[in-house]
Amino acid sequence: MRRCPHQSSPVPFSLGGFAIDTLILLAFGVATIGILAVAIYRMISLRRRTRDEARAAGYPSGEMPRTEEQKARDGQTAKIWGCLVLLVPCVLVLLYVVSR
């Protein structure tokens, strides 16, 4: 057991491991909140922009028909965000497990 310099009794756990665990869990939370915030912001701004473009093009409802190119781009964007949403937490959990 390690001894703390200010105590005469052994310390039952490593203080360095506690700090790393806390930092990794904090990073996990921040990454999750950050991904959600960015995704929601991008979704709202894109929706507003496309609605304004549709109304300017003469569609009073604010909905234009989607082209095949737009559908393909939407699918690619969904795949990228899906991978990020899965990858970032998995990496953080892996770091947490390895550091224990």
Side-chain angles (χ1 to χ4, degrees), residues 43-99:
M43 182 178 62
I44 290 171
S45 64
L46 178 65
R47 177 99 170 137
R48 187 176 297 142
R49 186 173 53 230
T50 55
R51 188 181 330 126
D52 291 343
E53 289 173 358
R55 287 186 179 148
Y59 295 95
S61 66
E63 303 242 350
M64 287 179 29
R66 307 286 294 165
T67 65
E68 291 302 318
E69 180 183 316
Q70 289 172 329
K71 290 178 185 178
R73 189 179 64 222
D74 291 345
Q76 182 181 12
T77 302
K79 288 176 189 173
I80 291 170
W81 277 102
C83 288
L84 282 175
V85 166
L86 292 175
L87 185 66
V88 169
C90 288
V91 167
L92 290 172
V93 167
L94 181 65
L95 286 173
Y96 179 76
V97 170
V98 168
S99 70

Side-chain angles (χ1 to χ4, degrees), residues 1-5 7-17:
M1 295 201 133
R2 294 175 41 185
R3 290 196 179 270
C4 184
Q7 295 178 344
S8 60
S9 63
V11 177
F13 59 90
S14 172
L15 294 176

